[in-house]
Amino acid sequence: MTTAIAVHGLHKSYDKLHVLKGVDFEVAGGSIFALLGSNGAGKTTIVRILATLLKPDAGAATVNDFDVVDQAAQVRESISLTGQFAAVDEILTGRENLILIGRLRRVGDPRGIADDLLERFGLADAAGRRVATYSGGMRRRLDIAMSLIGAPPVIFLDEPTTGLDPEGRIEVWQVIQQLADSGTTVFLTTQHLEEAEKLADRIAILHQGTIIVSGTLAQLRELLPPAQVEYVERQPTLEEIFLAIVGRDRKEQR
């Protein structure tokens, strides 16, 4: 497997606050890599450095074999970045948002690409509606669809399900899995452990400025003592109850 992202000895400080203290990790091409960490751990700082929006104080990083400092323009041409909040124009329709980005990126046939993405992301029926009428999950799906215009091989998703309800989160999870299945490398930051557990091929935990552990979910589980087998009655989670009730209510309304 090719290496899509490589980070070695990354350091970054803000005045006297030393945020990154020698961060190292690699991301395989076509995989989903989840970076976990609490608020203020430095996840967004890493994303901003990899997206060439911020320069590191020390260390090196490459994206698609391009150095993020010396070859910043080439890095930008091969990535997309979706922040914590959907960057969509609420006045425009879903289709108009996509066409606008297509024209800005100078792709051929922006209308055709917009229609293909609307269909792919389950937004075709809402294509002509103003984005102000969209739900949170729909806005986030549109936001990710906009970031795919130009077919970037790497996409950065910085806490993509922030503020979404359970249904919206699941919608976004499905989109992220589809991206990886199509060969796109997905770099995901999140505070939701369930999100990383469901999606990620590899997981890294950022704590106090360094990566303290990295590996597959199975490898991380091996760090803990073997689980004891106990037979207990499992109760449904609140999320399962919510989705079951809402889904049943929708079926009854049809």
Side-chain angles (χ1 to χ4, degrees):
M1 297 180 67
T2 60
T3 299
I5 301 171
V7 174
H8 302 290
L10 215 57
H11 286 258
K12 183 63 184 178
S13 296
Y14 299 101
D15 295 326
K16 296 182 179 180
L17 179 61
H18 201 174
V19 179
L20 304 181
K21 305 174 183 177
V23 172
D24 300 274
F25 63 83
E26 292 188 352
V27 180
S31 68
I32 300 176
F33 179 88
L35 181 63
L36 305 183
S38 57
N39 277 334
K43 303 187 300 298
T44 298
T45 296
I46 291 176
V47 170
R48 289 175 60 84
I49 289 173
L50 294 177
T52 75
L53 300 176
L54 194 65
K55 289 186 178 181
D57 297 332
T62 60
V63 178
N64 292 318
D65 293 326
F66 297 118
D67 186 275
V68 298
V69 175
D70 297 333
Q71 298 170 295
Q74 291 94 322
V75 171
R76 294 189 193 111
E77 290 176 355
S78 61
I79 67 169
S80 276
L81 169 62
T82 298
Q84 296 182 18
F85 302 98
V88 294
D89 191 321
E90 295 187 350
I91 297 176
L92 301 179
T93 67
R95 179 179 287 109
E96 288 169 342
N97 268 276
L98 290 165
I99 292 173
L100 174 63
I101 297 301
R103 288 175 174 168
L104 289 173
R105 293 192 174 181
R106 300 179 181 178
V107 299
D109 189 19
R111 292 181 179 277
I113 291 173
D115 287 339
D116 287 343
L117 287 169
L118 288 165
E119 187 67 35
R120 177 179 172 185
F121 285 84
L123 295 169
D125 291 341
R129 285 168 41 196
R130 291 174 57 182
V131 173
T133 68
Y134 283 18
S135 67
M138 293 171 68
R139 293 186 190 201
R140 178 54 82 182
R141 278 185 283 152
L142 177 63
D143 192 27
I144 296 175
M146 290 164 61
S147 71
L148 292 182
I149 293 177
V154 176
I155 182 169
F156 293 96
L157 301 177
D158 191 12
E159 300 193 20
T161 58
T162 296
L164 295 185
D165 61 23
E167 286 182 293
R169 281 199 296 142
I170 291 174
E171 289 176 2
V172 173
W173 290 351
Q174 291 170 343
V175 168
I176 293 171
Q177 189 61 62
Q178 290 169 6
L179 291 177
D181 292 343
S182 67
T184 303
T185 302
V186 179
F187 185 102
L188 168 73
T189 72
T190 182
Q191 297 181 58
H192 300 296
L193 303 186
E194 183 186 11
E195 193 160 277
E197 186 173 353
K198 285 183 177 294
L199 295 172
D201 298 302
R202 292 187 67 83
I203 300 167
I205 298 177
L206 181 66
H207 183 64
Q208 294 183 350
T210 61
I211 301 293
I212 57 174
V213 66
S214 177
T216 64
L217 180 60
Q219 290 170 335
L220 298 188
R221 282 173 171 159
E222 290 176 357
L223 300 175
L224 299 179
Q228 295 182 349
V229 177
E230 296 181 359
Y231 295 93
V232 297
E233 181 181 351
R234 179 184 178 278
Q235 297 294 326
T237 66
L238 182 58
E239 182 171 304
E240 290 171 336
I241 295 170
F242 175 87
L243 292 173
I245 293 174
V246 170
R248 184 175 60 205
D249 182 60
R250 285 182 173 178
K251 289 180 180 179
E252 291 174 352
Q253 292 177 4
R254 291 176 182 173

mmCIF file of all heavy atoms in Angstrom, residues 3-11 20 23-26 45-52 54-72 75 156 187:
data_model
loop_
_atom_site.group_PDB
_atom_site.id
_atom_site.type_symbol
_atom_site.label_atom_id
_atom_site.label_comp_id
_atom_site.label_asym_id
_atom_site.label_seq_id
_atom_site.Cartn_x
_atom_site.Cartn_y
_atom_site.Cartn_z
ATOM 1 N N THR A 3 1.812 5.233 0.801
ATOM 2 C CA THR A 3 1.647 6.126 1.949
ATOM 3 C C THR A 3 1.130 7.461 1.441
ATOM 4 O O THR A 3 1.812 8.152 0.685
ATOM 5 C CB THR A 3 2.976 6.324 2.688
ATOM 6 O OG1 THR A 3 3.440 5.048 3.168
ATOM 7 C CG2 THR A 3 2.806 7.280 3.860
ATOM 8 N N ALA A 4 -0.068 7.829 1.857
ATOM 9 C CA ALA A 4 -0.672 9.080 1.403
ATOM 10 C C ALA A 4 -0.223 10.262 2.249
ATOM 11 O O ALA A 4 -0.075 11.378 1.738
ATOM 12 C CB ALA A 4 -2.194 8.968 1.440
ATOM 13 N N ILE A 5 -0.024 10.032 3.546
ATOM 14 C CA ILE A 5 0.386 11.101 4.468
ATOM 15 C C ILE A 5 1.488 10.562 5.364
ATOM 16 O O ILE A 5 1.368 9.457 5.908
ATOM 17 C CB ILE A 5 -0.798 11.575 5.336
ATOM 18 C CG1 ILE A 5 -1.944 12.097 4.466
ATOM 19 C CG2 ILE A 5 -0.344 12.652 6.322
ATOM 20 C CD1 ILE A 5 -3.217 12.383 5.250
ATOM 21 N N ALA A 6 2.560 11.324 5.514
ATOM 22 C CA ALA A 6 3.651 10.945 6.414
ATOM 23 C C ALA A 6 4.029 12.143 7.270
ATOM 24 O O ALA A 6 4.278 13.233 6.744
ATOM 25 C CB ALA A 6 4.856 10.456 5.624
ATOM 26 N N VAL A 7 4.054 11.938 8.574
ATOM 27 C CA VAL A 7 4.361 13.020 9.527
ATOM 28 C C VAL A 7 5.478 12.544 10.444
ATOM 29 O O VAL A 7 5.389 11.460 11.022
ATOM 30 C CB VAL A 7 3.114 13.388 10.355
ATOM 31 C CG1 VAL A 7 3.468 14.396 11.441
ATOM 32 C CG2 VAL A 7 2.020 13.936 9.460
ATOM 33 N N HIS A 8 6.534 13.367 10.569
ATOM 34 C CA HIS A 8 7.688 12.978 11.387
ATOM 35 C C HIS A 8 8.161 14.164 12.226
ATOM 36 O O HIS A 8 8.504 15.228 11.689
ATOM 37 C CB HIS A 8 8.840 12.481 10.509
ATOM 38 C CG HIS A 8 8.471 11.321 9.641
ATOM 39 N ND1 HIS A 8 8.232 10.057 10.150
ATOM 40 C CD2 HIS A 8 8.277 11.235 8.300
ATOM 41 C CE1 HIS A 8 7.926 9.238 9.158
ATOM 42 N NE2 HIS A 8 7.933 9.928 8.030
ATOM 43 N N GLY A 9 8.136 13.987 13.543
ATOM 44 C CA GLY A 9 8.697 14.969 14.468
ATOM 45 C C GLY A 9 8.074 16.345 14.403
ATOM 46 O O GLY A 9 8.774 17.364 14.524
ATOM 47 N N LEU A 10 6.746 16.387 14.259
ATOM 48 C CA LEU A 10 6.056 17.670 14.087
ATOM 49 C C LEU A 10 5.959 18.423 15.415
ATOM 50 O O LEU A 10 5.487 17.874 16.420
ATOM 51 C CB LEU A 10 4.661 17.419 13.522
ATOM 52 C CG LEU A 10 4.101 18.458 12.529
ATOM 53 C CD1 LEU A 10 5.030 18.619 11.339
ATOM 54 C CD2 LEU A 10 2.719 18.031 12.074
ATOM 55 N N HIS A 11 6.373 19.697 15.395
ATOM 56 C CA HIS A 11 6.276 20.570 16.565
ATOM 57 C C HIS A 11 5.547 21.852 16.172
ATOM 58 O O HIS A 11 5.731 22.372 15.070
ATOM 59 C CB HIS A 11 7.659 20.953 17.099
ATOM 60 C CG HIS A 11 8.356 19.851 17.826
ATOM 61 N ND1 HIS A 11 8.427 19.789 19.201
ATOM 62 C CD2 HIS A 11 9.008 18.756 17.360
ATOM 63 C CE1 HIS A 11 9.110 18.714 19.564
ATOM 64 N NE2 HIS A 11 9.471 18.069 18.460
ATOM 65 N N LEU A 20 2.083 20.835 19.822
ATOM 66 C CA LEU A 20 2.591 19.584 19.247
ATOM 67 C C LEU A 20 4.054 19.408 19.660
ATOM 68 O O LEU A 20 4.868 20.312 19.498
ATOM 69 C CB LEU A 20 2.479 19.604 17.720
ATOM 70 C CG LEU A 20 1.087 19.860 17.135
ATOM 71 C CD1 LEU A 20 1.126 19.833 15.619
ATOM 72 C CD2 LEU A 20 0.070 18.853 17.668
ATOM 73 N N VAL A 23 5.178 14.907 16.808
ATOM 74 C CA VAL A 23 4.116 14.007 16.363
ATOM 75 C C VAL A 23 4.601 13.182 15.171
ATOM 76 O O VAL A 23 5.162 13.720 14.214
ATOM 77 C CB VAL A 23 2.850 14.806 15.978
ATOM 78 C CG1 VAL A 23 1.811 13.897 15.343
ATOM 79 C CG2 VAL A 23 2.284 15.506 17.207
ATOM 80 N N ASP A 24 4.366 11.860 15.229
ATOM 81 C CA ASP A 24 4.757 10.941 14.162
ATOM 82 C C ASP A 24 3.595 10.013 13.828
ATOM 83 O O ASP A 24 3.005 9.428 14.730
ATOM 84 C CB ASP A 24 5.950 10.080 14.580
ATOM 85 C CG ASP A 24 7.179 10.896 14.920
ATOM 86 O OD1 ASP A 24 7.934 11.220 14.000
ATOM 87 O OD2 ASP A 24 7.388 11.194 16.117
ATOM 88 N N PHE A 25 3.286 9.876 12.546
ATOM 89 C CA PHE A 25 2.333 8.859 12.089
ATOM 90 C C PHE A 25 2.349 8.803 10.570
ATOM 91 O O PHE A 25 2.869 9.710 9.902
ATOM 92 C CB PHE A 25 0.911 9.135 12.597
ATOM 93 C CG PHE A 25 0.301 10.423 12.104
ATOM 94 C CD1 PHE A 25 -0.313 10.513 10.854
ATOM 95 C CD2 PHE A 25 0.326 11.566 12.898
ATOM 96 C CE1 PHE A 25 -0.873 11.698 10.407
ATOM 97 C CE2 PHE A 25 -0.230 12.762 12.449
ATOM 98 C CZ PHE A 25 -0.831 12.824 11.200
ATOM 99 N N GLU A 26 1.786 7.737 10.020
ATOM 100 C CA GLU A 26 1.639 7.582 8.583
ATOM 101 C C GLU A 26 0.233 7.106 8.271
ATOM 102 O O GLU A 26 -0.388 6.408 9.088
ATOM 103 C CB GLU A 26 2.668 6.597 8.011
ATOM 104 C CG GLU A 26 4.098 7.107 8.080
ATOM 105 C CD GLU A 26 5.069 6.203 7.344
ATOM 106 O OE1 GLU A 26 4.660 5.089 6.913
ATOM 107 O OE2 GLU A 26 6.246 6.598 7.192
ATOM 108 N N THR A 45 -4.830 21.651 14.713
ATOM 109 C CA THR A 45 -3.509 22.182 14.355
ATOM 110 C C THR A 45 -2.816 21.260 13.364
ATOM 111 O O THR A 45 -2.228 21.721 12.378
ATOM 112 C CB THR A 45 -2.644 22.357 15.619
ATOM 113 O OG1 THR A 45 -3.234 23.339 16.464
ATOM 114 C CG2 THR A 45 -1.236 22.798 15.252
ATOM 115 N N ILE A 46 -2.888 19.957 13.594
ATOM 116 C CA ILE A 46 -2.292 18.994 12.662
ATOM 117 C C ILE A 46 -2.962 19.089 11.300
ATOM 118 O O ILE A 46 -2.290 19.107 10.255
ATOM 119 C CB ILE A 46 -2.388 17.569 13.232
ATOM 120 C CG1 ILE A 46 -1.458 17.420 14.437
ATOM 121 C CG2 ILE A 46 -2.043 16.532 12.161
ATOM 122 C CD1 ILE A 46 -1.559 16.077 15.134
ATOM 123 N N VAL A 47 -4.284 19.161 11.284
ATOM 124 C CA VAL A 47 -5.009 19.264 10.015
ATOM 125 C C VAL A 47 -4.600 20.529 9.276
ATOM 126 O O VAL A 47 -4.359 20.513 8.059
ATOM 127 C CB VAL A 47 -6.532 19.237 10.255
ATOM 128 C CG1 VAL A 47 -7.289 19.601 8.977
ATOM 129 C CG2 VAL A 47 -6.979 17.872 10.744
ATOM 130 N N ARG A 48 -4.510 21.633 9.981
ATOM 131 C CA ARG A 48 -4.148 22.907 9.342
ATOM 132 C C ARG A 48 -2.729 22.860 8.779
ATOM 133 O O ARG A 48 -2.453 23.438 7.718
ATOM 134 C CB ARG A 48 -4.295 24.060 10.341
ATOM 135 C CG ARG A 48 -5.743 24.376 10.667
ATOM 136 C CD ARG A 48 -5.861 25.441 11.760
ATOM 137 N NE ARG A 48 -5.234 26.696 11.370
ATOM 138 C CZ ARG A 48 -5.830 27.628 10.636
ATOM 139 N NH1 ARG A 48 -7.071 27.443 10.208
ATOM 140 N NH2 ARG A 48 -5.202 28.752 10.327
ATOM 141 N N ILE A 49 -1.827 22.182 9.460
ATOM 142 C CA ILE A 49 -0.459 22.044 8.940
ATOM 143 C C ILE A 49 -0.460 21.178 7.681
ATOM 144 O O ILE A 49 0.157 21.530 6.671
ATOM 145 C CB ILE A 49 0.466 21.436 10.016
ATOM 146 C CG1 ILE A 49 0.716 22.456 11.133
ATOM 147 C CG2 ILE A 49 1.792 20.986 9.395
ATOM 148 C CD1 ILE A 49 1.483 21.899 12.308
ATOM 149 N N LEU A 50 -1.181 20.063 7.715
ATOM 150 C CA LEU A 50 -1.219 19.161 6.570
ATOM 151 C C LEU A 50 -1.925 19.794 5.378
ATOM 152 O O LEU A 50 -1.641 19.456 4.226
ATOM 153 C CB LEU A 50 -1.896 17.844 6.953
ATOM 154 C CG LEU A 50 -1.144 16.988 7.976
ATOM 155 C CD1 LEU A 50 -1.961 15.752 8.329
ATOM 156 C CD2 LEU A 50 0.224 16.581 7.438
ATOM 157 N N ALA A 51 -2.851 20.704 5.659
ATOM 158 C CA ALA A 51 -3.572 21.391 4.583
ATOM 159 C C ALA A 51 -2.865 22.672 4.140
ATOM 160 O O ALA A 51 -3.430 23.448 3.369
ATOM 161 C CB ALA A 51 -4.996 21.714 5.035
ATOM 162 N N THR A 52 -1.657 22.915 4.634
ATOM 163 C CA THR A 52 -0.792 24.063 4.293
ATOM 164 C C THR A 52 -1.354 25.399 4.775
ATOM 165 O O THR A 52 -0.952 26.454 4.277
ATOM 166 C CB THR A 52 -0.505 24.158 2.776
ATOM 167 O OG1 THR A 52 -1.652 24.643 2.087
ATOM 168 C CG2 THR A 52 -0.092 22.809 2.205
ATOM 169 N N LEU A 54 -1.043 26.330 7.908
ATOM 170 C CA LEU A 54 -0.223 26.669 9.060
ATOM 171 C C LEU A 54 1.135 26.000 8.882
ATOM 172 O O LEU A 54 1.207 24.864 8.420
ATOM 173 C CB LEU A 54 -0.901 26.161 10.338
ATOM 174 C CG LEU A 54 -0.423 26.645 11.697
ATOM 175 C CD1 LEU A 54 -0.674 28.144 11.844
ATOM 176 C CD2 LEU A 54 -1.149 25.883 12.801
ATOM 177 N N LYS A 55 2.212 26.703 9.224
ATOM 178 C CA LYS A 55 3.546 26.126 9.087
ATOM 179 C C LYS A 55 4.006 25.542 10.428
ATOM 180 O O LYS A 55 3.817 26.172 11.473
ATOM 181 C CB LYS A 55 4.541 27.173 8.602
ATOM 182 C CG LYS A 55 4.348 27.581 7.154
ATOM 183 C CD LYS A 55 5.461 28.510 6.701
ATOM 184 C CE LYS A 55 5.289 28.872 5.227
ATOM 185 N NZ LYS A 55 6.376 29.764 4.757
ATOM 186 N N PRO A 56 4.617 24.366 10.410
ATOM 187 C CA PRO A 56 5.132 23.794 11.664
ATOM 188 C C PRO A 56 6.393 24.529 12.110
ATOM 189 O O PRO A 56 7.089 25.153 11.299
ATOM 190 C CB PRO A 56 5.442 22.345 11.267
ATOM 191 C CG PRO A 56 5.766 22.421 9.806
ATOM 192 C CD PRO A 56 4.869 23.497 9.242
ATOM 193 N N ASP A 57 6.678 24.447 13.395
ATOM 194 C CA ASP A 57 7.917 25.034 13.910
ATOM 195 C C ASP A 57 9.107 24.115 13.633
ATOM 196 O O ASP A 57 10.238 24.587 13.472
ATOM 197 C CB ASP A 57 7.800 25.273 15.419
ATOM 198 C CG ASP A 57 6.715 26.283 15.762
ATOM 199 O OD1 ASP A 57 6.439 27.154 14.906
ATOM 200 O OD2 ASP A 57 6.127 26.186 16.849
ATOM 201 N N ALA A 58 8.854 22.819 13.606
ATOM 202 C CA ALA A 58 9.912 21.840 13.343
ATOM 203 C C ALA A 58 9.257 20.550 12.864
ATOM 204 O O ALA A 58 8.050 20.346 13.035
ATOM 205 C CB ALA A 58 10.740 21.580 14.600
ATOM 206 N N GLY A 59 10.072 19.681 12.274
ATOM 207 C CA GLY A 59 9.552 18.418 11.769
ATOM 208 C C GLY A 59 9.216 18.511 10.295
ATOM 209 O O GLY A 59 9.408 19.546 9.647
ATOM 210 N N ALA A 60 8.697 17.407 9.753
ATOM 211 C CA ALA A 60 8.381 17.338 8.330
ATOM 212 C C ALA A 60 7.078 16.586 8.122
ATOM 213 O O ALA A 60 6.709 15.717 8.914
ATOM 214 C CB ALA A 60 9.515 16.643 7.567
ATOM 215 N N ALA A 61 6.401 16.944 7.049
ATOM 216 C CA ALA A 61 5.148 16.258 6.703
ATOM 217 C C ALA A 61 4.977 16.290 5.193
ATOM 218 O O ALA A 61 5.267 17.302 4.544
ATOM 219 C CB ALA A 61 3.955 16.921 7.384
ATOM 220 N N THR A 62 4.502 15.176 4.646
ATOM 221 C CA THR A 62 4.205 15.109 3.217
ATOM 222 C C THR A 62 2.785 14.600 3.018
ATOM 223 O O THR A 62 2.292 13.781 3.792
ATOM 224 C CB THR A 62 5.176 14.174 2.472
ATOM 225 O OG1 THR A 62 5.066 12.842 3.012
ATOM 226 C CG2 THR A 62 6.606 14.664 2.585
ATOM 227 N N VAL A 63 2.150 15.094 1.967
ATOM 228 C CA VAL A 63 0.826 14.638 1.552
ATOM 229 C C VAL A 63 0.913 14.331 0.067
ATOM 230 O O VAL A 63 1.301 15.202 -0.724
ATOM 231 C CB VAL A 63 -0.251 15.712 1.815
ATOM 232 C CG1 VAL A 63 -1.608 15.225 1.326
ATOM 233 C CG2 VAL A 63 -0.315 16.061 3.296
ATOM 234 N N ASN A 64 0.599 13.099 -0.299
ATOM 235 C CA ASN A 64 0.751 12.658 -1.695
ATOM 236 C C ASN A 64 2.178 12.879 -2.198
ATOM 237 O O ASN A 64 2.396 13.260 -3.357
ATOM 238 C CB ASN A 64 -0.241 13.392 -2.609
ATOM 239 C CG ASN A 64 -1.673 13.000 -2.328
ATOM 240 O OD1 ASN A 64 -1.974 11.831 -2.118
ATOM 241 N ND2 ASN A 64 -2.557 13.975 -2.314
ATOM 242 N N ASP A 65 3.144 12.661 -1.292
ATOM 243 C CA ASP A 65 4.573 12.798 -1.591
ATOM 244 C C ASP A 65 5.011 14.239 -1.810
ATOM 245 O O ASP A 65 6.143 14.478 -2.244
ATOM 246 C CB ASP A 65 4.970 11.954 -2.812
ATOM 247 C CG ASP A 65 4.867 10.459 -2.548
ATOM 248 O OD1 ASP A 65 5.123 10.057 -1.407
ATOM 249 O OD2 ASP A 65 4.523 9.716 -3.478
ATOM 250 N N PHE A 66 4.162 15.213 -1.511
ATOM 251 C CA PHE A 66 4.531 16.619 -1.602
ATOM 252 C C PHE A 66 4.781 17.178 -0.202
ATOM 253 O O PHE A 66 3.985 16.949 0.717
ATOM 254 C CB PHE A 66 3.430 17.439 -2.280
ATOM 255 C CG PHE A 66 3.156 17.044 -3.708
ATOM 256 C CD1 PHE A 66 1.906 16.566 -4.066
ATOM 257 C CD2 PHE A 66 4.137 17.162 -4.680
ATOM 258 C CE1 PHE A 66 1.641 16.201 -5.377
ATOM 259 C CE2 PHE A 66 3.881 16.807 -5.996
ATOM 260 C CZ PHE A 66 2.631 16.320 -6.346
ATOM 261 N N ASP A 67 5.862 17.906 -0.041
ATOM 262 C CA ASP A 67 6.177 18.520 1.246
ATOM 263 C C ASP A 67 5.201 19.666 1.525
ATOM 264 O O ASP A 67 4.978 20.520 0.663
ATOM 265 C CB ASP A 67 7.613 19.052 1.240
ATOM 266 C CG ASP A 67 8.039 19.562 2.602
ATOM 267 O OD1 ASP A 67 7.746 20.743 2.906
ATOM 268 O OD2 ASP A 67 8.646 18.790 3.366
ATOM 269 N N VAL A 68 4.636 19.687 2.731
ATOM 270 C CA VAL A 68 3.580 20.666 3.033
ATOM 271 C C VAL A 68 4.108 22.091 3.134
ATOM 272 O O VAL A 68 3.328 23.049 3.051
ATOM 273 C CB VAL A 68 2.835 20.303 4.339
ATOM 274 C CG1 VAL A 68 2.142 18.960 4.213
ATOM 275 C CG2 VAL A 68 3.778 20.316 5.530
ATOM 276 N N VAL A 69 5.421 22.255 3.278
ATOM 277 C CA VAL A 69 6.004 23.597 3.346
ATOM 278 C C VAL A 69 6.602 23.985 1.995
ATOM 279 O O VAL A 69 6.276 25.032 1.431
ATOM 280 C CB VAL A 69 7.078 23.690 4.450
ATOM 281 C CG1 VAL A 69 7.763 25.055 4.426
ATOM 282 C CG2 VAL A 69 6.458 23.437 5.818
ATOM 283 N N ASP A 70 7.479 23.156 1.460
ATOM 284 C CA ASP A 70 8.194 23.494 0.232
ATOM 285 C C ASP A 70 7.355 23.311 -1.030
ATOM 286 O O ASP A 70 7.661 23.915 -2.072
ATOM 287 C CB ASP A 70 9.461 22.645 0.110
ATOM 288 C CG ASP A 70 10.452 22.920 1.233
ATOM 289 O OD1 ASP A 70 10.420 24.045 1.771
ATOM 290 O OD2 ASP A 70 11.223 22.016 1.584
ATOM 291 N N GLN A 71 6.318 22.458 -0.965
ATOM 292 C CA GLN A 71 5.483 22.188 -2.140
ATOM 293 C C GLN A 71 4.004 22.398 -1.797
ATOM 294 O O GLN A 71 3.148 21.603 -2.151
ATOM 295 C CB GLN A 71 5.730 20.763 -2.641
ATOM 296 C CG GLN A 71 7.172 20.510 -3.095
ATOM 297 C CD GLN A 71 7.430 19.044 -3.361
ATOM 298 O OE1 GLN A 71 7.387 18.211 -2.459
ATOM 299 N NE2 GLN A 71 7.699 18.720 -4.614
ATOM 300 N N ALA A 72 3.742 23.502 -1.122
ATOM 301 C CA ALA A 72 2.389 23.771 -0.622
ATOM 302 C C ALA A 72 1.355 23.829 -1.746
ATOM 303 O O ALA A 72 0.235 23.343 -1.601
ATOM 304 C CB ALA A 72 2.376 25.073 0.177
ATOM 305 N N VAL A 75 0.356 20.389 -2.809
ATOM 306 C CA VAL A 75 -0.467 19.754 -1.774
ATOM 307 C C VAL A 75 -1.906 20.236 -1.896
ATOM 308 O O VAL A 75 -2.851 19.432 -1.888
ATOM 309 C CB VAL A 75 0.082 20.060 -0.362
ATOM 310 C CG1 VAL A 75 -0.911 19.583 0.705
ATOM 311 C CG2 VAL A 75 1.429 19.401 -0.155
ATOM 312 N N PHE A 156 -9.583 15.810 4.132
ATOM 313 C CA PHE A 156 -9.477 16.000 5.571
ATOM 314 C C PHE A 156 -10.851 16.377 6.118
ATOM 315 O O PHE A 156 -11.464 17.343 5.644
ATOM 316 C CB PHE A 156 -8.472 17.106 5.907
ATOM 317 C CG PHE A 156 -7.056 16.767 5.553
ATOM 318 C CD1 PHE A 156 -6.513 17.185 4.347
ATOM 319 C CD2 PHE A 156 -6.269 16.024 6.417
ATOM 320 C CE1 PHE A 156 -5.207 16.871 4.001
ATOM 321 C CE2 PHE A 156 -4.958 15.712 6.092
ATOM 322 C CZ PHE A 156 -4.431 16.133 4.880
ATOM 323 N N PHE A 187 -8.755 11.424 6.150
ATOM 324 C CA PHE A 187 -8.129 11.762 7.434
ATOM 325 C C PHE A 187 -9.206 12.400 8.290
ATOM 326 O O PHE A 187 -9.688 13.489 7.983
ATOM 327 C CB PHE A 187 -6.962 12.720 7.219
ATOM 328 C CG PHE A 187 -6.173 13.027 8.465
ATOM 329 C CD1 PHE A 187 -4.959 12.405 8.697
ATOM 330 C CD2 PHE A 187 -6.638 13.940 9.403
ATOM 331 C CE1 PHE A 187 -4.220 12.694 9.841
ATOM 332 C CE2 PHE A 187 -5.921 14.224 10.547
ATOM 333 C CZ PHE A 187 -4.705 13.599 10.768
#
